Amino acid sequence: MLNHHKEDTIESVLKEKRIIHPPSTFSANARIKSFQDYEKLYQESISDSENFWGNLAEKELHWFNKWDRVLEWDPPHAKWFLNGKLNITYNCIDRHLTSSRRNKPAIVWEGEPGDSRTLTYEELHVEVCKFANVLKQLKVTKGDCVAIYMPMIPEAIIAMLACARIGSVHTVIFGGFSAESLKDRLKDSQAKILVTADGGFRKDKIISLKSQVDIALKNNSSIVEKVVVVKRTSESIAMEHGRDYWLHDLQQDISDNCPPEIMDSEDALFILYTSGSTGKPKGVVHTIGGYSLYTHITTKWIFDIQDTDTYWCTADIGWITGHSYGVYGPLSNGATSLFYEGVPRPSNPGCFWDIIERYKVNIFYTAPTAIRSFIKMGDDIPKKFNLSSLRLLGTVGEPINPEVWMWYYEIIGNEKCPIVDTWWQTETGGVMITSLPGAISSKPGSASLPFPGIVPDIVDKNGDNVPDNTGGLLIIKNPWPSMLRNIHGDRQRFEENYWNSLSKKSDEHIYFSGDSARRDSDGYFWILGRTDDVMNISGHRLGSMELESALVSHQAVNEASVVGKPHEIKGEDIYAFVTLNNGFEATNELISELKQHVVQEIGAIARPGTIQFTRELPKTRSGKIVRRFLRQIAANQNIKGDRSTIVNPDILDELKEQAQLHN
Ligand code: PRX
């Protein structure tokens, strides 16, 4: 199977002709039942978009006070549902308590060691209120930032909701990030409180989160005031007097009554850091009203969740997918959302299928990189399990190769489950391009068509339209409710990065996604990848410059240039070209040391696959490193393009020759 996948180059995507129609039984029961229904909805959504979003907001959400206006668009700044008052936790929890959902599981959770917990909506309400009161007791008030650095345990979700309940802004920092990354994000967000755990279980090991926290906060008393620690692993950890508190101590005798704070639609809900093309990750800011509506309605229509469904999104809550489609979207719909602490590992390669069988999961949403690793492990593993409860599959995070799509469809979905390939980003807050499972036929490898209300287009670098079937830049032409509102503390970067990137038409204010794509003659979008220096490693975004800064911070490194290299499981892998300072020798030991150094600086997801030493890097006259050539070398391709732009063209052949040793 993987042999097919290796040949899945862009050409094979271009040749892909298969069309898979939604099963008629699925369509009959779906919310959006036919292509005609989709087309009608789409037309309505763009012919009078404010009316469309206004009607949905009124029908789908609870507001303490209705808004005065649906949209104020002062490009590139948008305000949605002006002066509307709401609380996302009221929509995610309280409103379900007056119906039969009160005793329905909201969260079903399983730990890696096999322990488990279920929280009904009523129980979730109690836990969120208690946690919210702990935050209040620690003097967290509306608008304060609270950082969450946690394993995938129920308290992580409860902490997010508790922040939203009292109007504080959460910033979830993925538990796999190192102390250094944690420190940067804590500083940038100015978080007042940090919520963490003694540790978590991952790949049969204990991840010592608290020790990373201690390193991050060492000699940095100005970063966070207090640390709340959840007991998970019971490992012995250091607790700093006056700074660190156990959650269970703080919760003694705490009230479980905490009315939701009345929030303005445009108040911030969270900051989430993501990599861009500069060295510093960007704190993407999302606000409450628009995000609540968009995550709610996309979950409802794309995942077609019914009240009896058990839904599982495998993303960690440290990423936007975990925020929008693990926590907020499903809970707002009153769904049962499943969370798993662990990941497939050699001792339990079938754990995902085992969970699907035992919990009778109906809707399963994961990333192509995970599917590719399942293919590699062999069909025997999933075939041992009863996966017949599944009725819908989803994928997100990177382009899915048509053959990988077909495997997912045949082996996991038994040819009866539609697959939704959902294209979106941290910045977009919710899914922008996707199929709707009962209404839109899928073409394996294509994210399909725009969600109602979204107007994507493909243009060249001047902003001019390109013909169908030609690759170009993927842009969005109109504002949408869950669009990012800002980069935390950097309004200029927000304006320049996303809205003013196209030289000629900068006055048009279109959203520039950073991806390239093509549209076929049926209007289907095929995402080709990033156009900037952002890599997608196993569905995780990492910036070249971020990695280069990490490498250069090692005493042996003089200069570094990092590119993505195609990888059969990860999609892309990190390939670093490095020049050394005088007195350092290019040894295998140094390679290992540098790899470990990057892990320490950023986290395990950033471990470079390859480090190639070189005496020089290819540079332009103005001293700019030309990554274009390095990408070709890393991919083991012939060097193409105009060499006259660089001052030291001879280095290219030398690099290519040495690269053979690494490939
Ligand atoms: O390149 C696109 C890719 O992931 C990027 C966004 O990454 P992030 O902000 O971390 O969010 C990931 C989860 C939403 C995009 O710019 N991407 C995301 N979904 C797809 C995709 N590429 C192809 N197909 C997708 N379905």
Side-chain angles (χ1 to χ4, degrees), residues 639-658:
I639 301 167
K640 288 180 291 226
D642 183 5
R643 292 180 181 218
S644 67
T645 51
I646 55 174
V647 282
N648 51 349
D650 296 348
I651 196 70
L652 294 179
D653 299 312
E654 197 177 312
L655 280 168
K656 170 108 183 104
E657 206 170 293
Q658 287 164 359

Side-chain angles (χ1 to χ4, degrees), residues 2-13 15 401:
L2 274 184
N3 293 341
H4 290 282
H5 156 218
K6 264 191 211 148
E7 285 149 25
D8 264 348
T9 56
I10 288 173
E11 283 92 84
S12 87
V13 169
K15 281 191 227 121
N401 332 60

Side-chain angles (χ1 to χ4, degrees), residues 99-159:
S99 73
S100 57
R101 287 184 183 146
R102 184 181 187 100
N103 295 316
K104 173 181 174 177
I107 294 177
V108 171
W109 170 83
E110 186 161 305
E112 202 184 78
D115 48 340
S116 62
R117 234 174 120 185
T118 296
L119 289 163
T120 63
Y121 273 95
E122 186 172 22
E123 288 163 340
L124 181 63
H125 182 253
V126 167
E127 293 305 323
V128 169
C129 288
K130 278 164 60 182
F131 207 120
N133 282 330
V134 164
L135 294 176
K136 278 188 175 172
Q137 196 178 290
L138 295 173
K139 309 261 178 317
V140 178
T141 55
K142 203 168 169 170
D144 284 343
C145 181
V146 173
I148 299 173
Y149 181 61
M150 295 275 265
M152 281 283 278
I153 56 176
E155 285 79 3
I157 300 143
I158 293 165

Side-chain angles (χ1 to χ4, degrees), residues 30 85 125 187 239 271 273 362 372 390 424-425 513:
K85 307 290 174 204
H125 182 253
K187 270 192 189 158
M239 294 289 280
I271 304 171
Y273 287 86
N362 308 103
R372 289 193 296 262
L390 289 172
W424 58 296
Q425 307 176 299
S513 70

Side-chain angles (χ1 to χ4, degrees), residues 274 320-321 396-399 421-427 515 527 530 536 541:
T274 188
I320 190 70
T321 310
V396 60
E398 24 161 357
D421 176 354
T422 60
W423 176 85
W424 58 296
Q425 307 176 299
T426 306
E427 293 87 341
D515 278 357
I527 312 297
R530 300 286 307 186
N536 194 329
R541 257 165 86 165

Side-chain angles (χ1 to χ4, degrees), residues 54-63 67 95 300-301:
N55 285 341
L56 280 176
E58 193 154 9
K59 193 165 141 240
E60 300 287 335
L61 296 184
H62 175 273
W63 299 81
W67 59 92
R95 65 167 161 169
K300 188 167 180 173
W301 289 349

